Amino acid sequence: MSKNLIIAIDGPAGSGKSTSAKLVAQKLNFLYIDTGAMYRAITYLALKTGCLYDRNKVIEIAEHSDLTLKFENGITHVFVNGEEITENIRSVEVNQNVSDISKIEEVRTSLVKKQHQMGRTSSGVVMEGRDIGTVVFPNADVKIFLTACIDERAERRAKEYSEIGAHIPIEEIKKNLLSRDKIDSSRQVSPLKKAADAVVVDTSKVSIDEQVKLILDIVKTKMQNN
Ligand code: DC
């Protein structure tokens, strides 16, 4: 398989992006980059410093924080200015506010710049998010758009929450997911959207192993045709 390959995986929350993207990266021995973790990190810092509604301060955080991601043993470890915030970025508060922070154009510009650096310096990368195939790497070698029905997505998020000891009613989770879908897909800057040349994979009824196989088959086919 050729070097410098970029695989873009986009889709809404709970569509299975993280789970399958990291396994695909491991199978190919590629770098895995979870761009959602970067928007979450900025949201967490905005909450922590009490400036969630101060647009200029949030932009300053995005532009001046030393944000690093380290993928180890199946986990994306997130550090800001040397402090590990891996667990903090998965809180209910971050989930509730991350879509609003992601709407800020300057925040996106700053994070996309980092994503370009990370993507270009590795020999092969699987990058997942909302705008990877459309904006971050519009020339990505392979573009996948994952979808799943809302009930399935809510079940997956409930399981993630319960793993960190948070027990949130399923209806509340659904409401949050639908609200995030709405904000993410309708925002003016880089909305969540399928790239015209992305392959759609519906993960509602397929196991994780099957999802990974489907994606690897798409990658193989794509590379054979190039
Ligand atoms: O993938 P996730 O659920 O961890 O993403 C959290 C939020 O970050 C998501 O609601 C929208 C935002 N996001 C984005 O706007 N662009 C990306 N490339 C990745 C995530």
Side-chain angles (χ1 to χ4, degrees), residues 122-149:
S122 82
S123 54
V125 62
V126 178
M127 191 176 284
E128 59 126 320
R130 302 291 188 287
D131 59 343
I132 311 305
T134 51
V135 174
V136 184
F137 286 112
N139 296 322
D141 302 275
V142 181
K143 298 183 189 177
I144 313 274
F145 193 84
L146 292 187
T147 60
C149 65

Side-chain angles (χ1 to χ4, degrees), residues 87-106:
E87 286 180 10
N88 311 64
I89 66 162
R90 305 284 161 195
S91 72
V92 176
E93 290 77 17
V94 169
N95 271 312
Q96 278 164 347
N97 292 289
V98 65
S99 284
D100 283 325
I101 295 298
S102 312
K103 282 199 293 196
I104 305 174
E105 184 165 12
E106 292 86 343

Side-chain angles (χ1 to χ4, degrees), residues 13 17 35-37 39-40 90 98-99 102 108 128-132 157 180 184 187:
K17 291 188 308 291
T35 61
Y39 291 92
R40 287 172 177 274
R90 305 284 161 195
V98 65
S99 284
S102 312
R108 303 199 70 82
E128 59 126 320
R130 302 291 188 287
D131 59 343
I132 311 305
R157 189 50 41 107
R180 274 175 55 194
D184 293 347
R187 69 177 173 228

Side-chain angles (χ1 to χ4, degrees), residues 72-204:
E72 254 172 24
N73 301 325
I75 295 171
T76 296
H77 293 271
V78 184
F79 299 85
V80 182
N81 306 324
E83 184 202 345
E84 177 153 17
I85 56 165
T86 307
E87 286 180 10
N88 311 64
I89 66 162
R90 305 284 161 195
S91 72
V92 176
E93 290 77 17
V94 169
N95 271 312
Q96 278 164 347
N97 292 289
V98 65
S99 284
D100 283 325
I101 295 298
S102 312
K103 282 199 293 196
I104 305 174
E105 184 165 12
E106 292 86 343
V107 169
R108 303 199 70 82
T109 307
S110 168
L111 295 186
V112 168
K113 201 166 138 200
K114 286 185 213 281
Q115 290 156 15
H116 281 160
Q117 285 161 356
M118 294 190 278
R120 288 202 187 106
T121 49
S122 82
S123 54
V125 62
V126 178
M127 191 176 284
E128 59 126 320
R130 302 291 188 287
D131 59 343
I132 311 305
T134 51
V135 174
V136 184
F137 286 112
N139 296 322
D141 302 275
V142 181
K143 298 183 189 177
I144 313 274
F145 193 84
L146 292 187
T147 60
C149 65
I150 183 66
D151 289 331
E152 184 59 38
R153 294 197 285 133
E155 287 294 338
R156 290 174 187 166
R157 189 50 41 107
K159 194 163 165 263
E160 279 169 24
Y161 276 141
S162 78
E163 279 163 10
I164 58 166
H167 300 284
I168 317 286
I170 200 85
E171 285 310 316
E172 200 176 309
I173 296 179
K174 269 192 209 173
K175 225 169 98 188
N176 174 258
L177 285 176
L178 291 172
S179 141
R180 274 175 55 194
D181 285 356
K182 194 162 170 227
I183 305 175
D184 293 347
S185 328
S186 61
R187 69 177 173 228
Q188 292 204 329
V189 199
S190 316
L192 163 66
K193 186 169 88 180
K194 179 188 107 53
D197 49 350
V199 181
V200 178
V201 176
D202 185 336
T203 69
S204 307

